[in-house]
Amino acid sequence: QDEALEHARMALLDRFRTQPRQKHPDPAVRLAFVQEIPLDERDLLAELARDDGDVRVRRAAVAKLMDPSALVNVARHDADEGVRSQAVGMLRDIALEAFEGSGEPESQAAIDALASLSDLKTLGGIAKTAPEPTARRALSRISDVRVLGSIARHAQHESVRLAAFEAVRDHGEILHIALNSEFKDTAVAAVERLSTRDDLEQVATRGRNRSGAKRAR
């Protein structure tokens, strides 16, 4: 009996020794393993981000995962809200080319991924604050009139503001831009598309931008 127990113990130890670290029963071992995985091991990181049973391991894998298609899968399906949010955050950072070695193709893939998630908040934020080429890529995936109006009012780059404004056809949103744009270009452009006295008086008396209010008067 003692011999049988020893044999079973050794068999168990052998199984643990030969078992891949990503399959180790101890989450702490798997977590430490994730920290050692090179960034170019995308398939392995994607497997851990998708399938590991421990939320800490999945989150650590997502934080190193540079594959937009795998990140979309996590953002859609992970059971933990924090992991899903981290996947969206990684997509945003890839879109912004925040990582060494990432460029326009990766940025475009991440923007397309965010669009497939219908994450207008993140896309709108990129359009407002990113360098101009990236901002325009994000803008090209947005059709929601309120998000376009917000970009027209607040985006850092004039070309992005004006492109967003040109896509707005809703009268209420045009008036909102005329009243609240931080910038002369879109404020004045919006005033030019108003035609009723009531609208123009509102902008003349309450318009946030001086040039827009002056043009309304």
Side-chain angles (χ1 to χ4, degrees):
Q1 185 177 7
D2 290 344
E3 185 177 345
L5 287 172
E6 180 63 17
H7 184 269
R9 187 179 73 84
M10 292 302 296
L12 184 63
L13 287 172
D14 287 342
R15 182 167 69 87
F16 281 171
R17 288 192 191 101
T18 59
Q19 196 170 40
R21 289 173 68 191
Q22 68 265 32
K23 302 292 186 183
H24 196 282
D26 186 348
V29 173
R30 303 198 303 274
L31 184 61
F33 176 62
V34 170
Q35 307 302 330
E36 300 172 9
I37 300 175
L39 293 179
D40 59 3
E41 292 282 351
R42 293 189 176 187
D43 290 344
L44 180 55
L45 288 166
E47 176 189 339
L48 288 160
R50 181 183 65 243
D51 298 333
D52 197 276
D54 190 280
V55 67
R56 297 169 301 166
V57 176
R58 298 200 305 278
R59 190 179 297 125
V62 166
K64 299 182 72 172
L65 185 55
M66 303 293 290
D67 183 342
S69 62
L71 288 166
V72 165
N73 183 62
V74 174
R76 282 200 180 108
H77 301 299
D78 197 275
D80 183 81
E81 182 180 357
V83 176
R84 296 195 303 271
S85 296
Q86 184 162 16
V88 170
M90 284 293 292
L91 286 169
R92 179 199 62 226
D93 290 346
I94 294 171
L96 292 171
E97 301 177 34
F99 300 106
E100 185 177 352
S102 64
E104 182 178 341
E106 294 80 9
S107 173
Q108 184 65 66
I111 286 170
D112 291 343
L114 289 166
S116 76
L117 294 171
S118 299
D119 191 338
L120 296 178
K121 180 179 180 181
T122 302
L123 284 172
I126 293 169
K128 290 176 189 176
T129 62
E132 187 172 2
T134 305
R136 292 189 69 93
R137 287 196 291 270
L139 178 63
S140 72
R141 301 308 306 272
I142 298 170
S143 59
D144 183 275
V145 67
R146 286 173 176 76
V147 179
L148 289 169
S150 181
I151 295 167
R153 295 192 303 275
H154 303 299
Q156 292 181 359
H157 300 287
E158 180 178 356
S159 68
V160 176
R161 293 193 298 271
L162 291 174
F165 175 71
E166 289 302 319
V168 175
R169 295 292 179 265
D170 179 79
H171 170 265
E173 196 61 39
I174 292 170
L175 177 59
H176 193 33
I177 294 167
L179 284 166
N180 297 294
S181 178
E182 297 178 5
F183 298 95
K184 173 183 177 179
D185 45 39
T186 46
V188 172
V191 169
E192 296 289 353
R193 284 169 63 179
L194 299 176
S195 58
T196 69
R197 184 181 184 88
D198 181 61
D199 287 345
L200 293 168
E201 285 181 346
Q202 285 191 65
V203 179
T205 57
R206 298 193 292 112
R208 179 175 181 179
N209 184 272
R210 289 184 180 181
S211 295
K214 181 179 178 181
R215 181 62 182 152
R217 286 196 293 273

